[in-house]
Amino acid sequence: MSSNRNWRFLLSWEGLLTFIVILVVLINIRLSPFFLHGDNLINLFGVSIEKIIVALVMTFIIINGEIDLSIASIMGLAASLAAWLTEHGMDFSLALVCSLLAGVVCGAINGFFVAYLEMPSLVVTLAGLIAYRGVARILLEDRSFTGIPPWYNDLGTQPILGQFPLSLLIFFALFVIAFIILHFSAFGRLVYVIGNNKDAALMSGVRVRRVKMTLFIASGIISALAGLLYVSRLGAVQASIAEGFELDIITIVLLGGVSIFGGTGTMVGVGLSILLILSLRNGMSLASVTGNTQSSIIGLILILSVLIPNLAQQANQAWKRRGYLSRPKEAPISKEGTL
């Protein structure tokens, strides 16, 4: 039984990702002997920590059959609101709390239109992408806010447990929580059921609206949290902060084997995708590959991550049909039950 399970894993998308991750790591070690150094591994996660945090909640959204394009704009809005409130005399700690609440509000707005008014999430969150970024630009205009308290800047740049900064510890904690909820809880099962067939879920008595609303609120607050963590790492705020992050985040999730049509995907696959993307970027940096070329390669990977599973599924269906058609016809059975 265990051998069959191992064989199925090797033939799965997660098995392919595992093989590619190992290959990329070996290449990176050959490029630089410092790749496996502790500081480099922490830096590996640190440069994209906000993206991979949001990728965890995006996994739930896409498995549920939806999409959230407003995540990066919510990150920018939360950061800009914290800066604006601080400029106008509010204590910075209280401003952080208000910014998190703003993320909840943005997520609730998205969820209301998607879950209760049944509008397409692509349209709703695209509008949110524009609107939330617009509010951020109204708050800060073209200014750059640099009045971040030193203690908060230290949280994003200095380790607090061993060599680990706060943002990395938050990511590890959220990954474990997301893994348990998605794969071992009733809510996780509902996420899959709705993503597979929303109408069937409704007829089965599943509270589809509540699940979708919960997911978009979670997306809003996690995005706001990621935006504030980004501020602590940079030490400054601009209205354009995190612009374009949504594409990288969606790339991570889809490369992890989560179907863009919903209903399938695992947190293990997303975790392997995170390791692959971060290792690739780090390796390309070690090889002095320019940023634009890196983005082009990651974009190509996104296309392949969507194309290859679809081609494999079509090939599998064609193989089954061919096998079925090639079977010899059975001889008819007489009324007496004999040939």
Side-chain angles (χ1 to χ4, degrees):
M1 180 68 71
S2 60
S3 61
N4 290 336
R5 190 177 305 161
N6 293 336
W7 183 250
R8 285 197 299 269
F9 176 79
L10 291 175
L11 294 177
S12 66
W13 185 257
E14 288 82 0
L16 175 62
L17 286 177
T18 302
F19 172 76
I20 298 175
V21 168
I22 294 173
L23 181 62
V24 170
V25 168
L26 292 176
I27 294 173
N28 286 349
I29 293 173
R30 186 174 180 83
L31 287 172
S32 173
F34 300 105
F35 176 75
L36 291 180
H37 195 274
D39 291 339
N40 183 65
L41 292 178
I42 291 176
N43 182 63
L44 186 77
F45 285 89
V47 294
S48 299
I49 190 66
E50 299 82 19
K51 295 178 184 178
I52 62 179
I53 285 175
V54 181
L56 300 178
V57 71
M58 180 65 81
T59 301
F60 284 80
I61 294 283
I62 297 181
I63 289 177
N64 194 239
E66 306 293 350
I67 194 75
D68 190 351
L69 298 178
S70 67
I71 44 177
S73 294
I74 294 176
M75 292 173 66
L77 174 59
S80 299
L81 180 62
W84 184 83
L85 290 174
T86 304
E87 281 184 331
H88 286 75
M90 182 178 287
D91 179 73
F92 188 75
S93 299
L94 184 57
L96 295 178
V97 175
C98 293
S99 296
L100 289 175
L101 291 176
V104 174
V105 172
C106 292
I109 292 173
N110 291 341
F112 175 76
F113 281 102
V114 173
Y116 290 91
L117 298 186
E118 298 185 352
M119 294 179 63
S121 57
L122 179 66
V123 175
V124 171
T125 58
L126 180 60
L129 180 153
I130 299 170
Y132 303 145
R133 183 67 67 181
V135 174
R137 294 189 185 281
I138 290 173
L139 293 175
L140 286 188
E141 298 175 342
D142 294 327
R143 293 178 290 111
S144 179
F145 176 77
T146 56
I148 305 298
W151 65 265
Y152 189 69
N153 192 208
D154 289 341
L155 286 178
T157 57
Q158 302 299 321
I160 65 170
L161 182 62
Q163 291 182 308
F164 299 100
L166 176 63
S167 55
L168 190 55
L169 294 175
I170 290 176
F171 167 72
F172 288 142
L174 288 178
F175 184 87
V176 172
I177 293 170
F179 180 83
I180 293 173
I181 293 175
L182 185 61
H183 297 293
F184 298 100
S185 73
F187 183 82
R189 289 193 292 273
L190 293 180
V191 171
Y192 279 105
V193 168
I194 297 170
N196 275 306
N197 193 323
K198 186 180 76 171
D199 295 333
L202 280 170
M203 289 188 290
S204 300
V206 176
R207 295 179 175 177
V208 174
R209 291 176 175 175
R210 178 178 295 182
V211 172
K212 290 187 180 295
M213 190 70 171
T214 301
L215 290 178
F216 277 101
I217 290 176
S219 180
I221 191 170
I222 294 298
S223 298
L225 172 63
L228 296 176
L229 290 174
Y230 196 29
V231 170
S232 71
R233 186 161 64 89
L234 294 182
V237 181
Q238 288 182 324
S240 60
I241 193 171
E243 209 163 40
F245 277 23
E246 61 276 345
L247 298 180
D248 285 346
I249 292 167
I250 294 171
T251 298
I252 291 171
V253 176
L254 297 184
L255 181 60
V258 177
S259 172
I260 191 65
F261 303 107
T264 59
T266 66
M267 197 58 67
V268 172
V270 173
L272 289 168
S273 173
I274 288 171
L275 289 176
L276 177 57
I277 293 291
L278 298 186
S279 298
L280 275 174
R281 284 196 179 277
N282 189 259
M284 287 187 286
S285 296
L286 292 173
S288 300
V289 177
T290 62
N292 291 333
T293 304
Q294 290 185 27
S295 299
S296 300
I297 293 174
I298 298 299
L300 178 61
I301 291 173
L302 173 59
I303 295 173
L304 293 176
S305 68
V306 177
L307 185 61
I308 292 176
N310 288 337
L311 291 177
Q313 184 178 7
Q314 292 175 8
N316 187 41
Q317 292 174 351
W319 180 263
K320 288 181 179 179
R321 288 197 299 269
R322 183 177 299 177
Y324 174 77
L325 292 174
S326 62
R327 291 179 185 173
K329 292 183 178 179
E330 296 181 355
I333 300 177
S334 66
K335 292 181 180 180
E336 290 77 18
T338 59
L339 293 176

